[in-house]
Amino acid sequence: MAFPTLQANYKIPNSFMFQFIQLKSIVHTKVTLKLPTTPLQGTHTLTIITRCMSAPTKPKSLSLCYKTLLGHTPPHAFNYVKQWGKEDMPELTDNQWLQSLNALKGLTSCFSHVEAHKKVIYRWYLTPQRLHQIYPTMDSKCWRCGSREGTMTHIWWECSGIKPLWSQVQQLLGKTLGYTVDLTPMVVILLLFPPTWKKGAKKLASTIILAARNLIALHWRSTYCPTHRELLNKIYQFYRYEVLSSDSHAKTRLTEQLWEPWLSLIHHHPL
Ligand SMILES: [Zn+2]
């Protein structure tokens, strides 16, 4: 419905033109995506606009607007979720994505660790494939192996050039936790563990995986694969940071309890 028609029908002053455009834009965004048929869209537009502009305002107009808009909000998929889906990441629920984003909550006091994890989920890092989309003359193949498409999943997990690092992580986790662990893209990239993993094991594994990912990011756009020694040093740095940043004896004790399996492994079997 055009503004002049509304003006004629409801005696709306010219000063409401801007509000009319705002409302029209909102209704079109919210309603047309789910309900492309013009008659229904027109009905919703008319309902909301006439309600908002009627003077004096009719009771429960705001509730009606919210009900109309929320009732037809299309299911929203974030771009990073769509992009991970294109790389064959298993389909996850909203709760699982939230769980992944909050995987480090209460685990570390280091903001840069939390930020680094979210950067991976949000696909902040520029991979060869992404760079190729931006600059078509650039090669989309992986920097390390040079043979496969440089997708996010490939760079962080699949690449044969980075496999030795993940094998080391797997062995270290096995020795630390006392049982064989299977690393998957869900675990390595999203820090989403199978339900059989115990809480302490998940926390320790998250930090060790984070240390490995930190090394990959440090050698971004490189053919280099971080060594076993570099991995151990990085894990130790993470451990020391958590101990030094503990602001009470109780917190230090909790941190040491969490890291006890790792410290025990280092103490009894120098790596
Ligand atoms: Zn590769």
Side-chain angles (χ1 to χ4, degrees):
M1 179 176 280
F3 187 64
T5 315
L6 274 176
Q7 280 188 301
N9 290 348
Y10 300 99
K11 297 185 176 64
I12 297 169
N14 286 333
S15 56
F16 276 79
M17 181 67 181
F18 185 64
Q19 284 95 325
F20 169 79
I21 294 169
Q22 282 181 317
L23 283 168
K24 196 173 173 184
S25 169
I26 292 169
V27 173
H28 274 250
T29 308
K30 296 280 185 185
V31 180
T32 52
L33 290 173
K34 179 78 179 289
L35 301 166
T37 50
T38 313
L40 198 51
Q41 173 199 327
T43 306
H44 283 284
T45 312
L46 184 63
T47 307
I48 293 173
I49 291 176
T50 52
R51 275 277 181 161
C52 292
M53 293 187 166
S54 58
T57 310
K58 289 182 182 176
K60 298 183 180 175
S61 289
L62 197 58
S63 302
L64 178 76
C65 289
Y66 275 121
K67 194 176 170 186
T68 308
L69 290 171
L70 293 173
H72 296 90
T73 302
H76 180 73
F78 291 103
N79 193 42
Y80 67 90
V81 174
K82 290 183 202 164
Q83 295 303 320
W84 282 117
K86 286 180 188 173
E87 294 189 15
D88 295 333
M89 186 66 82
E91 196 172 327
L92 303 178
T93 63
D94 289 350
N95 272 346
Q96 283 176 306
W97 281 111
L98 198 60
Q99 197 185 333
S100 175
L101 285 165
N102 292 326
L104 299 180
K105 198 173 181 181
L107 174 61
T108 177
S109 50
C110 179
F111 183 73
S112 70
H113 290 175
V114 177
E115 189 182 42
H117 176 55
K118 290 189 176 177
K119 276 180 176 177
V120 173
I121 297 178
Y122 290 143
R123 304 169 66 87
W124 179 86
Y125 291 92
L126 289 174
T127 59
Q129 188 196 46
R130 181 81 187 102
L131 284 169
H132 177 71
Q133 286 171 348
I134 301 169
Y135 309 105
T137 53
M138 289 186 77
D139 193 358
S140 64
K141 292 281 188 296
C142 167
W143 297 305
R144 282 197 171 81
C145 64
S147 59
R148 301 283 300 276
E149 196 72 4
T151 62
M152 201 64 82
T153 309
H154 180 85
I155 294 289
W156 287 108
W157 165 247
E158 286 175 351
C159 182
S160 56
I162 210 73
K163 278 289 174 202
L165 178 68
W166 290 120
S167 299
Q168 290 161 27
V169 171
Q170 191 158 20
Q171 283 171 17
L172 283 175
L173 285 174
K175 285 180 187 172
T176 308
L177 304 175
Y179 51 85
T180 308
V181 296
D182 286 325
L183 294 184
T184 63
M186 291 269 281
V187 170
V188 166
I189 296 174
L190 302 179
L191 298 181
L192 289 176
F193 297 90
T196 48
W197 284 49
K198 291 177 183 169
K199 197 174 176 184
K202 287 182 196 174
K203 286 184 171 183
L204 195 54
S206 295
T207 315
I208 292 174
I209 289 168
L210 212 58
R213 288 202 328 217
N214 185 286
L215 288 173
I216 296 175
L218 274 176
H219 299 284
W220 201 249
R221 296 192 74 169
S222 154
T223 55
Y224 181 78
C225 181
T227 64
H228 189 59
R229 177 52 52 193
E230 283 177 288
L231 177 63
L232 295 179
N233 288 343
K234 186 57 74 179
I235 295 169
Y236 185 71
Q237 277 177 22
F238 279 26
Y239 160 70
R240 287 298 296 161
Y241 180 90
E242 295 305 329
V243 170
L244 293 172
S245 63
S246 300
D247 51 10
S248 66
H249 287 303
K251 205 171 171 186
T252 306
R253 204 162 49 247
L254 280 175
T255 304
E256 285 178 342
Q257 274 176 6
L258 175 67
W259 283 84
E260 198 280 326
W262 169 260
L263 296 172
S264 173
L265 176 72
I266 300 290
H267 182 71
H268 292 106
H269 307 282
L271 301 167

